[in-house]
Amino acid sequence: MTTTDSPKTTVPGLAAVRAEIARACRDAGRELASVTLVAVSKTFPPEAIEPVIAAGQHVFGENRVQEAKAKWPPLIAKYPAIALHLIGPLQSNKAKEAVALFTAIHSVDRASLCEALAKEIVKQNRRPTLFVEINTGAEPQKAGVLPQDADAFLATARDKYGLTISGLMCIPPLEEAPGPHFALTAKIAKRNGLTLLSMGMSADFATAIQLGATHVRIGSAIFGGRH
Ligand SMILES: *Cc1c(COP(=O)(O)O)cnc(C)c1O
């Protein structure tokens, strides 16, 4: 193959992930369209990302604002259909850049961040889809709202800061079975009337789809290992 070949390329990892998502949806009796694949391109350069775009993938996830800002504006200019999701922790002082660049933010987890986001959403008149991150394993090193604080936090985000929160996100502890963490996240979303669930990564997305994930965040299964 040369670079002058047709732009309709295939990426083996992407094709395999799509097939697996389709199978998980069938097994769960869910519509394929109810699950959005967020291709996590963190650490990978534009040369690795462009073939994935050419293969028809338009939703991408990055975990750092600075890296995304350095990498994505030229790609978005070239492919205007791209939707970029922030899946990693966000500092309040980067809320401005995040609101400008991302169409969804999966990591809302502090009142100070709610305040900063609310201000930028009004100022820039841009409304990224917002997810609150739940620290389902109560891991001290991990970001996110504790499960027992989730209802109060969601009420504060809505009533005090005027934010529309659309869903919840979680990252289960590495060493535990993910199912109970996905189920807990789904339960908190349901009782708060939230319809979106960002859960499932390369190793566990089929389980996440079984338990209601609407957004699966998949990196290494598409792009290969990170160094
Ligand atoms: C890196 C990352 C992913 C993707 O992980 P893979 O195991 O490579 O699929 C998903 N979610 C978050 C928050 C990440 O930081």
Side-chain angles (χ1 to χ4, degrees):
M1 286 242 287
T2 71
T3 50
T4 55
D5 283 349
S6 140
K8 270 290 163 209
T9 58
T10 57
V11 174
L14 178 66
V17 165
R18 282 178 173 161
E20 183 67 16
I21 289 173
R23 199 169 64 86
C25 283
R26 265 198 315 277
D27 289 351
R30 297 184 54 192
E31 297 278 348
L32 184 56
S34 70
V35 177
T36 298
L37 168 60
V38 181
V40 177
S41 50
K42 66 187 184 193
T43 78
F44 289 97
E47 307 82 74
I49 296 170
E50 283 209 66
V52 178
I53 299 172
Q57 177 66 24
H58 289 116
V59 184
F60 288 85
E62 288 282 343
N63 70 333
R64 295 175 63 232
V65 175
Q66 288 317 113
E67 179 183 346
K69 232 184 105 183
K71 215 157 77 178
W72 279 94
L75 286 169
I76 291 171
K78 194 166 165 191
Y79 306 99
I82 295 290
L84 200 57
H85 290 210
L86 179 64
I87 60 169
L90 176 59
Q91 293 170 270
S92 300
N93 64 9
K94 298 220 171 78
K96 180 180 175 178
E97 293 165 301
V99 169
L101 185 59
F102 295 97
T103 61
I105 296 172
H106 292 230
S107 49
V108 179
D109 68 348
R110 301 178 314 283
S112 57
L113 179 57
C114 288
E115 185 175 7
L117 286 171
K119 190 175 129 205
E120 287 303 327
I121 284 168
V122 170
K123 223 167 145 183
Q124 300 183 35
N125 193 26
R126 282 176 58 93
R127 309 204 166 273
T129 302
L130 300 178
F131 296 77
V132 165
E133 181 173 352
I134 307 295
N135 185 356
T136 55
E139 296 173 279
Q141 83 286 6
K142 212 170 249 178
V145 177
L146 292 172
Q148 63 267 32
D149 298 335
D151 296 358
F153 181 81
L154 287 162
T156 300
R158 180 188 63 223
D159 300 336
K160 183 165 179 196
Y161 299 106
L163 290 180
T164 299
I165 303 292
S166 299
L168 301 181
M169 179 269 236
C170 76
I171 309 171
L174 259 183
E175 65 285 359
E176 289 181 29
H181 295 272
F182 296 151
L184 174 60
T185 305
K187 183 173 142 194
I188 297 170
K190 186 161 188 225
R191 72 169 178 248
N192 284 281
L194 304 177
T195 53
L196 302 184
L197 287 169
S198 168
M199 50 191 208
M201 306 179 16
S202 290
D204 55 19
F205 65 90
T207 306
I209 289 170
Q210 188 69 43
L211 291 164
T214 62
H215 291 67
V216 291
R217 311 177 310 268
I218 302 177
S220 49
I222 296 171
F223 290 98
R226 290 179 296 269
H227 302 290

